[in-house]
């Protein structure tokens, strides 16, 4: 539902953007450029390879490492979401081992 | 052996949230290791490094390096109701964050179902539209997720994924009116400069209804606490949606699109959903629940000068203080209870800096003798009459926690 008159809207367009600049309102923005840290922690222990190969492209490992203890079904859901929703390119043969690794390793919040 | 290698940090014991207790209370335990904190998450697992390696940021709690998830150290909230820019929490979804923004070539586009597309430079935006300033709390939908029982996946935040700032900007409505919203518009969609790092990944975008977008208080901010926004908080422009969770506050805002049909992009339609139940509360495992997009915030209140385990003085008056916010409206009152919630005393409120911001509260507690344990609860009632609940909510995404907080003090 349109709650306002079209003609009014167009009138506003004119007044708003042609309004004179008020010098005291000037706020200076400066161009910025930054380097962000990348995070180099890797998963370790038996079976870590497929996790390192597939799970570090989009995000560093820390947040995955501190997930609470989750069921295998939970981890399967997460890995499938990475693949289906976020388009993580994970080879079929790695999916099972990744889920296995994540559900068998003690994470946080035991 | 912990394959995730936390033992390298040398953590030997639990430490207080964010390190030391503040405000004259006895410090029970100092951080076990410089640069580490142990967030008191439910069931443990709250050990985190602290970091100073992010641009324009002081010491922050590292939840994830790339893309950054940085939590505000708790003691920051005791220092004042405005959270300093260099300790304001940080949350990004995709690592495709540009490494520079050129303020001369940057343009904010307004397009879609409009009479006339706009492509505005920063100086046009700042100089030609009326300036609005307001205080508002920005809180992650999943703030406090690490306290959920049972625990749920996602960023394992303690209470520091929130902050209050004074935002300066222009009304979104003025921008929309400048472009001329056409009849039949239903939503407005916002996108920033953040990009997926894998082809085909869903761009981060969020939408508001056209009526909400035209609200007086929704602004496009170019300043935060009187300075340019820190890069990681959305430089040069950020959408400010007072009273609503931070997922809507799109950072590095560059694209505003007026839609003539409901937004069906992933982040609006499928992510950030809550059960359509009071308090977004369901039983763990409950199925077939109607889900709706997360929306307005609910009231919360916190202790900031004392943490559980802190010692206070017997037979003397001890100040207990903290912060509160109303959610999508102001704070009507803050009350504390020292008898488990039977009786409530109204706390003193600090100055009102704006209904959407943090409000300081304080009270005094006088334990009668040494050794007395004092359990203190605090609750906020907002100006809509909504009060915090004594039972924690639960939902599978860990959203919208606002249970009454409790601390256990000891008279010494």
């Amino acid at each position: 539902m349109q709650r306002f008159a079209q003609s009014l809207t167009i009138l506003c367009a004119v007044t708003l953007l042609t309004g004179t600049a008020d010098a005291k309102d000037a706020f200076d923005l400066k161009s910025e450029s930054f380097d962000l840290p990348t995070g180099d922690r890797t998963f370790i222990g038996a079976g870590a390879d497929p996790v390192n190969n597939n799970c570090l492209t989009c995000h560093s490992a820390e947040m995955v490492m501190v997930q609470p203890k989750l069921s295998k079904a939970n981890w399967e859901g997460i890995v499938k979401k990475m693949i289906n929703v976020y388009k993580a390119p994970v080879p079929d043969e790695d999916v099972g081992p990744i889920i296995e690794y994540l559900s068998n390793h003690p994470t946080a919040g035991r | 052996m912990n394959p995730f290698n936390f033992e390298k940090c040398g953590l030997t014991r639990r430490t207080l949230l964010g390190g030391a207790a503040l405000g004259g209370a006895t410090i029970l335990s100092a951080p076990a290791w410089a640069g580490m904190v142990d967030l008191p998450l439910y069931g443990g697992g709250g050990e985190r490094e602290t970091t100073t390696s992010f641009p324009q940021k002081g010491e922050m709690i590292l939840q994830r390096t790339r893309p950054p998830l940085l939590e505000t150290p708790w003691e920051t909230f005791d220092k004042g109701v405005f959270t300093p820019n260099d300790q304001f929490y940080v949350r990004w979804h995709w690592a495709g964050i540009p490494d520079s923004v050129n303020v001369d070539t940057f343009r904010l586009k307004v397009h879609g179902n409009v009479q006339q597309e706009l492509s505005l430079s920063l100086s046009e935006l700042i100089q030609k539209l009326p300036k609005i300033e307001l205080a508002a709390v920005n809180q992650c939908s999943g703030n406090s997720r690490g306290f959920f029982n049972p625990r749920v996946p996602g960023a394992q935040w303690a209470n520091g994924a929130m902050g209050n700032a004074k935002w300066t900007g222009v009304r979104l409505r003025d921008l929309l009116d400048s472009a001329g919203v056409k009849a039949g518009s239903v939503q407005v969609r916002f996108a920033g400069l953040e990009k997926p790092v894998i082809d085909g990944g869903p761009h981060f975008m969020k939408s508001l209804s056209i009526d909400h977008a035209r609200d007086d208080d929704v602004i496009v901010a170019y300043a935060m606490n009187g300075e340019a926004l820190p890069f990681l908080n959305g430089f040069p422009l950020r959408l400010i949606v007072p009273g609503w969770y931070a997922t809507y506050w799109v950072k590095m805002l560059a694209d505003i699109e007026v839609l003539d049909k409901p937004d069906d992009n992933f982040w609006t339609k499928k992510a950030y959903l809550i059960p359509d139940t009071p308090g977004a509360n369901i039983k763990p495992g409950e199925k077939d629940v109607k889900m709706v997009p997360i929306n307005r915030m609910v009231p919360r209140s916190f202790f900031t000068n004392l943490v559980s385990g802190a010692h206070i003085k017997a037979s003397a008056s001890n100040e207990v203080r903290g912060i509160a916010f109303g959610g999508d409206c102001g704070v009507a009152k803050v009350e504390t209870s020292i008898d488990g919630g039977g009786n409530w005393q109204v706390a003193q409120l600090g100055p009102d800096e704006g209904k959407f911001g943090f409000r300081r509260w304080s009270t005094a507690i006088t334990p009668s003798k040494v050794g007395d344990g004092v359990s203190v609860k605090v609750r906020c009632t907002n100006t809509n009459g909504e009060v915090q609940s004594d039972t924690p909510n639960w939902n599978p995404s860990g959203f919208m926690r606002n249970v009454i907080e409790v601390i256990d003090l000891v008279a010494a």
Side-chain angles (χ1 to χ4, degrees):
Chain A
M1 253 279 297
Q2 202 72 1
R3 289 226 179 137
F4 45 95
Q6 208 94 113
S7 53
L8 243 182
T9 308
I10 296 163
L11 193 69
C12 280
V14 178
T15 34
L16 283 171
L17 278 179
T18 54
T20 45
D22 186 344
K24 75 177 187 306
D25 276 356
F27 184 89
D28 253 351
L29 292 174
K30 287 189 204 58
S31 295
E32 301 277 9
S33 68
F34 294 105
D35 283 332
L36 291 178
T38 50
D40 55 5
R41 196 176 277 184
T42 54
F43 299 88
I44 61 173
D49 285 355
V51 190
N52 285 322
N53 293 341
N54 294 292
C55 302
L56 301 176
T57 321
C58 298
H59 43 69
S60 56
E62 302 96 336
M63 193 251 256
V64 182
M65 291 176 171
V66 298
Q67 290 305 301
K69 178 132 191 67
L70 300 172
S71 68
K72 196 165 173 175
N74 266 171
W75 277 116
E76 183 172 353
I78 292 173
V79 172
K80 294 265 162 73
K81 179 162 91 175
M82 299 305 133
I83 298 169
N84 297 329
V85 176
Y86 302 134
K87 307 297 173 202
V90 183
D92 285 350
E93 65 272 22
D94 283 354
V95 175
I98 292 172
I99 296 167
E100 198 65 27
Y101 176 91
L102 293 167
S103 29
N104 287 335
H105 282 80
T107 49
R110 284 146 286 232
Chain B
M1 189 190 75
N2 180 348
F4 291 156
N5 215 8
F6 270 119
E7 72 272 28
K8 82 166 188 201
C9 306
L11 269 175
T12 51
R13 58 185 164 141
R14 286 179 68 76
T15 56
L16 293 177
L17 172 60
L22 301 158
T26 311
I27 293 171
L28 272 187
S29 86
W33 195 260
M36 290 296 297
V37 291
D38 189 357
L39 305 172
L41 307 186
Y42 182 80
E47 302 88 352
R48 299 286 186 277
E49 289 175 28
T50 59
T51 175
T52 50
S53 43
F54 287 81
Q56 298 170 304
K57 290 287 161 184
E59 187 163 55
M60 299 293 287
I61 299 167
L62 183 70
Q63 294 279 7
R64 184 174 70 192
T65 307
R66 175 181 49 89
L69 299 176
L70 308 175
E71 178 162 349
T72 301
W74 189 251
E75 52 272 29
T76 309
F77 297 106
D78 193 53
K79 294 176 188 157
V81 292
F82 290 106
T83 316
N85 288 1
D86 70 348
Q87 290 200 297
F88 210 97
Y89 87 100
V90 170
R91 194 270 187 264
W92 291 82
H93 297 81
W94 286 110
I97 306 169
D99 54 16
S100 66
V101 173
N102 181 325
V103 295
D104 301 316
T105 57
F106 177 91
R107 293 290 180 274
L108 174 63
K109 278 183 71 178
V110 183
H111 65 116
N113 202 36
V114 295
Q115 308 281 352
Q116 193 193 350
E117 286 194 4
L118 303 178
S119 175
L120 290 175
S121 70
L122 289 167
S123 54
E124 283 174 304
L125 178 126
I126 293 169
Q127 291 171 21
K128 294 197 173 168
L129 293 173
K131 177 170 110 178
I132 307 294
E133 210 160 51
L134 55 85
V137 173
N138 171 290
Q139 182 184 210
C140 181
S141 311
N143 188 27
S144 323
R145 180 182 287 119
F147 299 117
F148 270 56
N149 170 24
R151 297 276 295 270
V152 294
Q156 301 300 310
W157 304 108
N159 290 330
M162 62 173 187
N164 179 39
K166 190 163 281 172
W167 310 93
T168 312
V170 300
R171 275 203 181 101
L172 176 61
R173 184 177 62 219
D174 288 344
L175 284 166
L176 294 173
D177 286 350
S178 300
V181 173
K182 285 195 199 164
S185 301
V186 293
Q187 281 186 323
V188 183
R189 179 160 71 186
F190 308 91
L193 297 177
E194 172 182 9
K195 295 246 156 54
V197 291
I198 294 274
D199 278 351
H203 273 257
F204 185 76
M205 298 189 278
K206 292 297 289 185
S207 297
L208 295 176
S209 74
I210 188 83
D211 287 345
H212 190 183
R214 296 180 53 77
D215 198 284
D216 269 357
D217 298 316
V218 177
I219 67 175
V220 172
Y222 51 82
M224 173 173 170
N225 293 326
E227 290 169 8
L229 288 134
F231 196 67
L232 291 175
N233 295 109
F235 179 84
L237 298 176
R238 179 171 199 170
L239 186 69
I240 306 304
V241 190
W244 279 42
Y245 283 96
T247 182
Y248 294 96
W249 300 40
V250 173
K251 297 180 289 299
M252 290 189 177
L253 178 68
D255 191 286
I256 299 176
E257 183 182 0
V258 178
L259 303 177
D260 60 6
K261 48 181 181 311
D263 183 14
D264 62 357
N265 108 79
F266 168 75
W267 297 103
T268 296
K269 202 177 167 194
K270 303 223 173 101
Y272 288 102
L273 301 182
I274 54 167
D276 191 14
T277 56
N281 184 33
I282 60 170
K283 286 193 210 66
E286 202 174 322
K287 294 259 155 37
D288 301 322
V289 183
K290 185 185 172 210
M291 302 295 279
V292 294
I294 196 166
N295 47 83
R296 61 183 195 88
M297 296 197 292
V298 285
R300 298 195 77 172
S301 55
F302 300 93
F303 299 93
T304 58
N305 70 325
L306 296 167
V307 294
S308 258
H311 286 189
I312 54 174
K313 283 174 279 167
S315 327
S317 169
N318 296 272
E319 187 189 13
V320 179
R321 62 171 182 264
I323 50 171
F325 60 103
D328 65 338
C329 60
V331 171
K333 63 177 173 182
V334 172
E335 298 162 295
T336 56
S337 172
I338 52 169
D339 63 358
N343 291 287
W344 292 90
Q345 288 80 38
V346 175
Q348 241 176 357
L349 293 180
D352 184 356
E353 306 272 5
K355 63 178 175 176
F356 297 113
F358 284 152
R359 192 90 185 256
R360 167 67 79 207
W361 64 265
S362 76
T363 191
I365 285 176
T366 310
S368 47
K369 57 179 194 304
V370 171
D372 275 2
V374 189
S375 183
V376 191
K377 291 189 173 190
V378 63
R379 72 176 186 195
C380 171
T381 304
N382 71 19
T383 52
N384 290 337
E386 193 176 359
V387 59
Q388 289 180 255
S389 156
D390 216 2
T391 7
N393 70 331
W394 191 92
N395 56 64
S397 300
F399 288 153
M400 268 177 88
R401 184 175 168 91
N402 81 324
V403 66
I404 289 174
E405 303 282 330
V406 190
I407 49 170
D408 295 309
L409 307 172
V410 182

